């Protein structure tokens, strides 16, 4: 099984694209996530959706908008609210995890391996059978 992050951008258009991917693939949604992290003294959020493989495929895509959304419980971002509304509309449980910021990793791929490790550890995504 191949589990791979597919990174979208950080802007409104990218969040709308992610939400549209969720709506058109609602039958494939496995989990939805908000990853929070602190970098450069600022708390930020990444939003992600894990889709189930298609047919006999062993490919599990994880679409993500990485660390471009300011995160505050007192004043939620409109982009985060849009993602939360879409998840609620599709009857998806939104899982929030506090993770390390990607800036501490030398390469983006190492950061994604770290996230996949966490998701597997907590059984949010299947193991590599």
């Amino acid at each position: 099984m191949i589990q791979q992050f597919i990174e979208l951008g950080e802007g409104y258009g990218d969040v709308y694209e992610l939400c549209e991917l969720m709506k058109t693939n609602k039958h494939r949604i496995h989990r939805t996530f908000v990853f929070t992290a602190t970098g450069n003294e600022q708390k930020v959020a990444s939003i992600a959706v894990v889709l189930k493989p298609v047919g006999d495929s062993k490919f599990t895509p994880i679409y993500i908008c990485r660390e471009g959304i300011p995160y505050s419980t007192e004043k939620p971002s409109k982009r985060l609210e849009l993602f939360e509304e879409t998840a609620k509309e599709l009857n998806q449980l939104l899982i929030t995890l506090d993770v390390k910021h990607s800036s501490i990793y030398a390469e983006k791929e190492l950061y994604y391996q770290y996230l996949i490790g966490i998701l597997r550890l907590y059984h949010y995504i299947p193991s590599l059978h």
Side-chain angles (χ1 to χ4, degrees):
M1 176 168 296
I2 299 169
Q3 297 158 333
Q4 182 178 343
F5 277 90
I6 300 171
E7 188 171 315
L8 303 174
E10 305 167 354
Y12 273 102
D14 302 297
V15 174
Y16 279 108
E17 186 67 25
L18 182 61
C19 291
E20 189 61 28
L21 277 167
M22 291 169 64
K23 291 174 186 175
T24 58
N25 291 285
K26 61 185 170 191
H27 62 287
R28 290 184 57 207
I29 295 176
H30 181 67
R31 298 259 197 285
T32 56
F33 295 96
V34 174
F35 301 116
T36 61
T38 303
N40 299 327
E41 307 294 321
Q42 182 181 3
K43 189 119 176 165
V44 293
S46 300
I47 55 177
V49 60
V50 179
L51 298 181
K52 297 173 189 168
V54 176
D56 292 334
S57 168
K58 302 283 188 210
F59 178 69
T60 301
I62 308 168
Y63 289 93
I64 187 168
C65 293
R66 182 176 51 96
E67 298 173 343
I69 303 171
Y71 184 79
S72 169
T73 54
E74 295 84 36
K75 187 179 176 197
S77 163
K78 295 292 184 191
R79 288 175 282 177
L80 191 53
E81 286 178 344
L82 175 65
F83 182 71
E84 290 171 344
E85 288 169 12
T86 303
K88 185 177 180 180
E89 174 185 320
L90 299 173
N91 296 318
Q92 293 297 314
L93 174 66
L94 193 58
I95 301 165
T96 302
L97 298 171
D98 193 31
V99 298
K100 295 177 184 177
H101 195 273
S102 66
S103 64
I104 68 168
Y105 292 90
E107 297 176 20
K108 190 171 28 173
E109 290 307 313
L110 295 174
Y111 174 67
Y112 287 139
Q113 288 176 6
Y114 155 73
L115 288 181
I116 286 173
I118 289 173
L119 297 178
R120 284 185 194 146
L121 177 68
Y122 290 106
H123 304 284
Y124 290 132
I125 59 176
S127 61
L128 292 178
H129 292 100

